[in-house]
Amino acid sequence: QKEVEQNSGPLSVPEGAIASLNCTYSDRGSQSFFWYRQYSGKSPELIMSIYSNGDKEDGRFTAQLNKASQYVSLLIRDSQPSDSATYLCAVNDQAGTALIFGKGTTLSVSS
Amino acid sequence: EPEVTQTPSHQVTQMGQEVILRCVPISNHLYFYWYRQILGQKVEFLVSFYNNEISEKSEIFDDQFSVERPDGSNFTLKIRSTKLEDSAMYFCASSELGPGNEQFFGPGTRLTVL
């Protein structure tokens, strides 16, 4: 059974701080990793994808991947109240088409 | 910016009835997916579809469910003989490239089974 684990939170940070979100996955064959943002009652919105070990930056977001440790993280710099949402880690292996989601980490950014 | 659309946004049905949820994937995308999310739970994969056939399905996707691409733009999920536990948000997603590539989600259909 392929599993994706996330700390459910809530993670509370003040406006302007760095938010750090973590995810571990069980399937060592996993090849593709994604972070989605989901506002309450809305659908998942893709914010980052990462396929290789190391860091990938896009604006205020940085995704980090360590396949040896089976660990993916998302850093949000200069956090804004509008970043308050649930962040979903999703993993896909090369053999399958399915995305396996974690339960998500709820982030709360206070102004 | 192109986006996945879904109709209806909310569907209420009686237990035992059949429902059809509709999706229009992004126009140049070739891979289509259905996921569901029961309130308070994680997003769960149901089925993927490519070249007019199912590529992969989960244990959830049993004989009660079927998918179809009836024309060049629509992608549908049919749920026969609905049960109370089918109440959930159903998300359609599409991707331009195949396994392992980015999937873009529609706004979802909230299905309520009474």
Side-chain angles (χ1 to χ4, degrees), chain A residues 3-4 32 34 36 38 41-44 46 49 51 88 92 94 96-99 101-103, chain B residues 33 35 37 42-45 48 55-56 89 91 99-108 110:
Chain A
E3 298 282 345
V4 176
S32 307
F34 307 92
Y36 286 83
Q38 186 175 33
K42 302 296 185 182
S43 63
L46 180 67
S49 59
Y51 303 95
L88 309 178
N92 174 258
Q94 212 166 36
T97 55
L99 286 178
F101 281 85
K103 285 190 172 182
Chain B
Y33 314 84
Y35 292 81
Q37 187 176 31
K42 63 173 70 175
V43 177
E44 299 174 291
F45 170 76
S48 60
S55 303
E56 184 180 0
M89 282 290 286
F91 297 113
N101 287 280
E102 296 176 341
Q103 297 181 21
F104 297 90
F105 282 68
R110 179 172 299 283

Side-chain angles (χ1 to χ4, degrees), chain B residues 7 35-37 78 109:
Chain B
T7 55
Y35 292 81
R36 81 172 185 189
Q37 187 176 31
K78 181 187 292 185
T109 293

